[in-house]
Short mmCIF file of all heavy atoms in Angstrom, two decimals:
data_model
loop_
_atom_site.label_atom_id
_atom_site.label_comp_id
_atom_site.label_asym_id
_atom_site.label_seq_id
_atom_site.Cartn_x
_atom_site.Cartn_y
_atom_site.Cartn_z
N LEU A 1 -4.42 -56.98 -46.35
CA LEU A 1 -5.36 -56.45 -47.33
C LEU A 1 -6.74 -56.26 -46.70
O LEU A 1 -7.43 -55.27 -46.97
CB LEU A 1 -5.44 -57.39 -48.54
CG LEU A 1 -6.21 -56.90 -49.74
CD1 LEU A 1 -5.61 -55.62 -50.30
CD2 LEU A 1 -6.26 -57.96 -50.82
N GLY A 2 -7.15 -57.17 -45.84
CA GLY A 2 -8.42 -57.03 -45.14
C GLY A 2 -8.43 -55.82 -44.23
O GLY A 2 -9.43 -55.10 -44.14
N LEU A 3 -7.32 -55.55 -43.55
CA LEU A 3 -7.23 -54.36 -42.68
C LEU A 3 -7.31 -53.07 -43.50
O LEU A 3 -7.94 -52.10 -43.08
CB LEU A 3 -5.94 -54.40 -41.87
CG LEU A 3 -5.91 -55.45 -40.76
CD1 LEU A 3 -4.51 -55.51 -40.13
CD2 LEU A 3 -6.95 -55.15 -39.71
N ILE A 4 -6.68 -53.08 -44.65
CA ILE A 4 -6.76 -51.89 -45.52
C ILE A 4 -8.21 -51.64 -45.92
O ILE A 4 -8.69 -50.50 -45.90
CB ILE A 4 -5.87 -52.08 -46.77
CG1 ILE A 4 -4.40 -52.03 -46.37
CG2 ILE A 4 -6.17 -51.02 -47.83
CD1 ILE A 4 -3.45 -52.41 -47.48
N GLY A 5 -8.93 -52.70 -46.26
CA GLY A 5 -10.34 -52.54 -46.61
C GLY A 5 -11.16 -51.99 -45.47
O GLY A 5 -12.03 -51.13 -45.66
N GLN A 6 -10.90 -52.44 -44.24
CA GLN A 6 -11.62 -51.94 -43.07
C GLN A 6 -11.30 -50.47 -42.82
O GLN A 6 -12.18 -49.68 -42.47
CB GLN A 6 -11.29 -52.76 -41.84
CG GLN A 6 -11.84 -54.16 -41.89
CD GLN A 6 -11.40 -54.99 -40.69
OE1 GLN A 6 -10.91 -54.47 -39.70
NE2 GLN A 6 -11.58 -56.30 -40.79
N LEU A 7 -10.04 -50.09 -42.99
CA LEU A 7 -9.65 -48.69 -42.77
C LEU A 7 -10.24 -47.78 -43.84
O LEU A 7 -10.63 -46.65 -43.54
CB LEU A 7 -8.13 -48.56 -42.72
CG LEU A 7 -7.48 -49.17 -41.48
CD1 LEU A 7 -5.96 -49.13 -41.61
CD2 LEU A 7 -7.92 -48.43 -40.23
N LEU A 8 -10.30 -48.24 -45.06
CA LEU A 8 -10.91 -47.43 -46.12
C LEU A 8 -12.37 -47.13 -45.81
O LEU A 8 -12.87 -46.04 -46.06
CB LEU A 8 -10.81 -48.14 -47.47
CG LEU A 8 -9.46 -48.10 -48.15
CD1 LEU A 8 -9.49 -48.95 -49.42
CD2 LEU A 8 -9.05 -46.69 -48.48
N ASP A 9 -13.05 -48.09 -45.23
CA ASP A 9 -14.45 -47.90 -44.87
C ASP A 9 -14.59 -46.82 -43.80
O ASP A 9 -15.58 -46.09 -43.78
CB ASP A 9 -15.03 -49.22 -44.37
CG ASP A 9 -16.53 -49.16 -44.16
OD1 ASP A 9 -17.21 -48.57 -45.02
OD2 ASP A 9 -17.01 -49.72 -43.17
N GLN A 10 -13.61 -46.69 -42.92
CA GLN A 10 -13.65 -45.67 -41.88
C GLN A 10 -13.16 -44.32 -42.39
O GLN A 10 -13.60 -43.28 -41.91
CB GLN A 10 -12.82 -46.10 -40.68
CG GLN A 10 -13.41 -47.29 -39.96
CD GLN A 10 -12.57 -47.72 -38.79
OE1 GLN A 10 -11.62 -47.05 -38.40
NE2 GLN A 10 -12.90 -48.86 -38.21
N MET A 11 -12.24 -44.32 -43.34
CA MET A 11 -11.67 -43.07 -43.85
C MET A 11 -12.67 -42.33 -44.74
O MET A 11 -12.77 -41.11 -44.69
CB MET A 11 -10.41 -43.34 -44.67
CG MET A 11 -9.23 -43.76 -43.84
SD MET A 11 -7.80 -44.30 -44.81
CE MET A 11 -7.68 -43.11 -46.08
N VAL A 12 -13.38 -43.05 -45.56
CA VAL A 12 -14.30 -42.44 -46.52
C VAL A 12 -15.71 -42.88 -46.14
O VAL A 12 -16.05 -44.04 -46.31
CB VAL A 12 -13.97 -42.89 -47.96
CG1 VAL A 12 -14.90 -42.24 -48.95
CG2 VAL A 12 -12.52 -42.59 -48.29
N PRO A 13 -16.50 -41.96 -45.61
CA PRO A 13 -17.85 -42.37 -45.23
C PRO A 13 -18.67 -42.74 -46.46
O PRO A 13 -18.50 -42.18 -47.53
CB PRO A 13 -18.42 -41.14 -44.54
CG PRO A 13 -17.63 -40.00 -45.07
CD PRO A 13 -16.26 -40.55 -45.39
N GLY A 14 -19.55 -43.68 -46.25
CA GLY A 14 -20.43 -44.08 -47.34
C GLY A 14 -21.44 -42.99 -47.67
O GLY A 14 -21.70 -42.10 -46.87
N GLN A 15 -21.95 -43.05 -48.87
CA GLN A 15 -22.96 -42.08 -49.30
C GLN A 15 -24.22 -42.83 -49.68
O GLN A 15 -24.16 -43.88 -50.30
CB GLN A 15 -22.45 -41.28 -50.50
CG GLN A 15 -21.24 -40.44 -50.18
CD GLN A 15 -20.76 -39.70 -51.42
OE1 GLN A 15 -21.29 -39.86 -52.51
NE2 GLN A 15 -19.74 -38.90 -51.24
N LYS A 16 -25.34 -42.25 -49.28
CA LYS A 16 -26.62 -42.84 -49.64
C LYS A 16 -26.84 -42.65 -51.14
O LYS A 16 -26.67 -41.54 -51.65
CB LYS A 16 -27.73 -42.15 -48.85
CG LYS A 16 -29.09 -42.74 -49.06
CD LYS A 16 -30.13 -42.07 -48.20
CE LYS A 16 -31.49 -42.67 -48.41
NZ LYS A 16 -32.50 -42.01 -47.57
N PRO A 17 -27.17 -43.71 -51.86
CA PRO A 17 -27.38 -43.54 -53.30
C PRO A 17 -28.55 -42.61 -53.58
O PRO A 17 -29.56 -42.62 -52.88
CB PRO A 17 -27.68 -44.95 -53.80
CG PRO A 17 -27.62 -45.85 -52.63
CD PRO A 17 -27.36 -45.06 -51.40
N LYS A 18 -28.39 -41.81 -54.61
CA LYS A 18 -29.46 -40.90 -55.01
C LYS A 18 -30.52 -41.70 -55.76
O LYS A 18 -30.20 -42.63 -56.50
CB LYS A 18 -28.91 -39.80 -55.91
CG LYS A 18 -27.94 -38.90 -55.19
CD LYS A 18 -27.37 -37.85 -56.10
CE LYS A 18 -26.38 -36.99 -55.34
NZ LYS A 18 -25.72 -36.03 -56.20
N PRO A 19 -31.79 -41.34 -55.57
CA PRO A 19 -32.83 -42.07 -56.30
C PRO A 19 -32.69 -41.83 -57.81
O PRO A 19 -32.28 -40.74 -58.23
CB PRO A 19 -34.14 -41.48 -55.77
CG PRO A 19 -33.77 -40.17 -55.17
CD PRO A 19 -32.33 -40.28 -54.74
N PRO A 20 -33.01 -42.82 -58.60
CA PRO A 20 -32.87 -42.64 -60.05
C PRO A 20 -33.85 -41.58 -60.56
O PRO A 20 -34.97 -41.46 -60.09
CB PRO A 20 -33.20 -44.01 -60.63
CG PRO A 20 -33.97 -44.70 -59.55
CD PRO A 20 -33.52 -44.12 -58.24
N VAL A 21 -33.39 -40.83 -61.52
CA VAL A 21 -34.22 -39.81 -62.14
C VAL A 21 -35.04 -40.46 -63.25
O VAL A 21 -34.47 -41.10 -64.14
CB VAL A 21 -33.34 -38.67 -62.73
CG1 VAL A 21 -34.18 -37.63 -63.42
CG2 VAL A 21 -32.48 -38.06 -61.64
N PRO A 22 -36.36 -40.36 -63.17
CA PRO A 22 -37.16 -41.00 -64.22
C PRO A 22 -36.90 -40.31 -65.57
O PRO A 22 -36.71 -39.10 -65.63
CB PRO A 22 -38.60 -40.79 -63.77
CG PRO A 22 -38.56 -39.68 -62.78
CD PRO A 22 -37.18 -39.66 -62.19
N PRO A 23 -36.86 -41.08 -66.63
CA PRO A 23 -36.62 -40.47 -67.94
C PRO A 23 -37.77 -39.55 -68.33
O PRO A 23 -38.92 -39.81 -68.01
CB PRO A 23 -36.52 -41.67 -68.88
CG PRO A 23 -37.22 -42.78 -68.18
CD PRO A 23 -37.08 -42.51 -66.71
N LYS A 24 -37.43 -38.47 -69.00
CA LYS A 24 -38.45 -37.53 -69.44
C LYS A 24 -39.13 -38.08 -70.69
O LYS A 24 -38.49 -38.59 -71.59
CB LYS A 24 -37.83 -36.17 -69.75
CG LYS A 24 -37.31 -35.50 -68.51
CD LYS A 24 -36.85 -34.09 -68.82
CE LYS A 24 -36.41 -33.40 -67.55
NZ LYS A 24 -36.06 -32.02 -67.76
N ARG A 25 -40.45 -37.98 -70.68
CA ARG A 25 -41.21 -38.43 -71.84
C ARG A 25 -41.22 -37.32 -72.89
O ARG A 25 -41.33 -36.15 -72.58
CB ARG A 25 -42.64 -38.74 -71.43
CG ARG A 25 -42.74 -39.95 -70.54
CD ARG A 25 -44.16 -40.28 -70.14
NE ARG A 25 -45.15 -39.85 -71.10
CZ ARG A 25 -46.36 -39.41 -70.78
NH1 ARG A 25 -46.71 -39.34 -69.52
NH2 ARG A 25 -47.21 -39.03 -71.70
N ASP A 26 -41.14 -37.72 -74.12
CA ASP A 26 -41.22 -36.77 -75.22
C ASP A 26 -42.69 -36.54 -75.53
O ASP A 26 -43.39 -37.42 -76.02
CB ASP A 26 -40.49 -37.31 -76.44
CG ASP A 26 -40.48 -36.31 -77.59
OD1 ASP A 26 -40.80 -35.13 -77.34
OD2 ASP A 26 -40.15 -36.71 -78.71
N THR A 27 -43.18 -35.35 -75.18
CA THR A 27 -44.59 -35.04 -75.41
C THR A 27 -44.83 -34.48 -76.80
O THR A 27 -45.97 -34.30 -77.20
CB THR A 27 -45.08 -34.02 -74.37
OG1 THR A 27 -44.32 -32.81 -74.53
CG2 THR A 27 -44.91 -34.56 -72.96
N GLY A 28 -43.78 -34.18 -77.50
CA GLY A 28 -43.93 -33.57 -78.82
C GLY A 28 -44.07 -32.07 -78.74
O GLY A 28 -44.04 -31.38 -79.75
N TYR A 29 -44.22 -31.53 -77.55
CA TYR A 29 -44.36 -30.09 -77.36
C TYR A 29 -43.02 -29.53 -76.95
O TYR A 29 -42.37 -30.03 -76.05
CB TYR A 29 -45.39 -29.82 -76.26
CG TYR A 29 -45.47 -28.37 -75.85
CD1 TYR A 29 -46.08 -27.43 -76.67
CD2 TYR A 29 -44.93 -27.95 -74.65
CE1 TYR A 29 -46.15 -26.11 -76.31
CE2 TYR A 29 -45.00 -26.63 -74.27
CZ TYR A 29 -45.61 -25.70 -75.10
OH TYR A 29 -45.67 -24.39 -74.74
N ARG A 30 -42.59 -28.49 -77.62
CA ARG A 30 -41.34 -27.84 -77.28
C ARG A 30 -41.61 -26.36 -77.10
O ARG A 30 -41.87 -25.64 -78.08
CB ARG A 30 -40.30 -28.02 -78.39
CG ARG A 30 -38.94 -27.44 -78.03
CD ARG A 30 -37.92 -27.64 -79.13
NE ARG A 30 -38.15 -26.76 -80.27
CZ ARG A 30 -37.66 -25.53 -80.40
NH1 ARG A 30 -36.92 -25.01 -79.45
NH2 ARG A 30 -37.90 -24.80 -81.46
N PRO A 31 -41.60 -25.89 -75.84
CA PRO A 31 -41.83 -24.45 -75.66
C PRO A 31 -40.66 -23.66 -76.23
O PRO A 31 -39.51 -24.08 -76.12
CB PRO A 31 -41.91 -24.31 -74.14
CG PRO A 31 -41.20 -25.48 -73.59
CD PRO A 31 -41.35 -26.58 -74.59
N ILE A 32 -40.97 -22.58 -76.86
CA ILE A 32 -39.91 -21.74 -77.40
C ILE A 32 -39.91 -20.41 -76.67
O ILE A 32 -40.95 -19.94 -76.22
CB ILE A 32 -40.06 -21.53 -78.93
CG1 ILE A 32 -41.43 -20.93 -79.25
CG2 ILE A 32 -39.85 -22.83 -79.67
CD1 ILE A 32 -41.61 -20.62 -80.71
#
């Protein structure tokens, strides 16, 4: 099981996590 885990790490490269998107503030203005 440990060898399978090591091989999975080599088969699928890791991805850098994307930075979190800050939540949009509700300004009360809605362009139409």
Side-chain angles (χ1 to χ4, degrees):
L1 189 60
L3 289 173
I4 290 171
Q6 290 176 15
L7 290 173
L8 283 175
D9 188 42
Q10 293 179 8
M11 289 172 44
V12 181
Q15 296 179 357
K16 184 177 180 180
K18 295 178 181 175
V21 178
K24 293 187 177 185
R25 292 181 28 215
D26 184 14
T27 61
Y29 172 74
R30 184 180 74 88
I32 56 177

